[in-house]
Amino acid sequence: MGTKPTHEQAQLHLQVYDLRREAKLRQARDWFFRNYFVNTLEDSNRIAAPGSEGGALVMQVFSYWENACALLNYGLLHEDLFFETSGEFFGVWERVKPIIAEGRQRFHNPLFLAHLEKAAERFETWSESRMPGHIAAMKQMMKQMQSQLQNQAAATASA
């Protein structure tokens, strides 16, 4: 482990965590992980079109984690502390990764979720150096979760 977090970094870390407890953000995060499974930008528009409730929830999740990761990337949050206590941002990145290049191109915004991407790449390297195999296990768990949720949705739709 590197240096210890400063008091200011620890305070900011707690503030970032406290924001995750806000009711609307909790709802958005829950909705995102139950519903946002995409491979194309069209999938994203079908599930969470701009201007729809799903679109608003997705953007809330994206903007929260983009901001938290920006604080990390600018050195305002302590990397070890953030990575030891926050893995959700990596799950968000894995969900959006299949469409990020297409989205950035279509909307002429090469920086869209760039802080999230940078933090996720750093987290992979950090995790593999400390917990080899952790990222592969997380990805496998996410695939299983997706399959279970999609099976539940199909069963509900056919009932």
Side-chain angles (χ1 to χ4, degrees), residues 24-136:
K24 188 70 173 174
L25 183 56
R26 277 187 177 271
Q27 175 192 357
R29 291 170 43 233
D30 181 57
W31 183 93
F32 180 87
F33 282 106
R34 282 189 290 106
N35 297 285
Y36 196 79
F37 299 100
V38 300
N39 292 308
T40 66
L41 202 52
E42 287 70 33
D43 290 342
S44 182
N45 286 329
R46 181 178 42 77
I47 295 167
S52 70
E53 182 181 0
L57 295 172
V58 163
M59 288 310 296
Q60 187 167 19
V61 170
F62 286 173
S63 63
Y64 171 79
W65 283 115
E66 180 69 358
N67 278 286
C69 290
L71 295 172
L72 173 72
N73 293 338
Y74 278 106
L76 299 171
L77 291 172
H78 188 270
E79 182 174 277
D80 287 336
L81 179 60
F82 186 82
F83 288 164
E84 287 170 5
T85 61
S86 305
E88 185 177 312
F89 74 97
F90 184 77
V92 171
W93 173 249
E94 285 296 305
R95 293 278 178 95
V96 75
K97 187 164 62 170
I99 67 164
I100 197 70
E102 183 183 7
R104 287 173 177 168
Q105 182 179 11
R106 185 174 294 171
F107 299 109
H108 303 283
N109 183 356
L111 299 178
F112 180 64
L113 300 180
H115 285 291
L116 178 63
E117 178 180 24
K118 182 178 178 180
E121 290 171 352
R122 287 171 46 205
F123 181 68
E124 282 196 71
T125 301
W126 182 92
S127 292
E128 284 306 312
S129 72
R130 288 161 177 79
M131 308 168 287
H134 175 68
I135 295 296

